[in-house]
Amino acid sequence: DSSVHIFVLQELGAFVSLTGIFMSQYVEEIFALLKPMWGTSSFPMTALLIQQIALAFGDEFARYFPTIFPELF
């Protein structure tokens, strides 16, 4: 259900914002969970979560670009 996806993404975004770089060991799994939502109605919240991860990780986020955008690498 789309509303459940949106709620979970919002809560995960809040958690990432609180924990910051300490979430790094789970980021690959988070991105794997986000892939199926890439082209759905949940995409805006998916993009927001990715933005929250980027802000929380700072420069460390760059290493995850190939995971998120494999077509570019």
Side-chain angles (χ1 to χ4, degrees):
D1 182 74
S2 180
S3 61
V4 173
H5 286 158
I6 290 171
F7 174 76
V8 170
L9 292 173
Q10 287 173 332
E11 295 302 307
L12 186 54
F15 190 68
V16 167
S17 295
L18 289 172
T19 58
I21 196 71
F22 297 108
M23 288 292 295
S24 63
Q25 65 187 20
Y26 305 107
V27 169
E28 296 289 337
E29 289 85 2
I30 291 171
F31 290 146
L33 291 171
L34 294 178
K35 276 195 179 209
M37 295 182 212
W38 204 253
T40 68
S41 62
S42 299
F43 177 74
M45 193 54 62
T46 302
L48 181 61
L49 176 58
I50 292 171
Q51 179 184 20
Q52 290 170 314
I53 293 170
L55 290 172
F57 281 34
D59 291 340
E60 285 291 312
F61 183 74
R63 68 183 253 203
Y64 297 104
F65 268 51
T67 303
I68 301 168
F69 307 109
E71 304 84 32
L72 301 176
F73 294 90

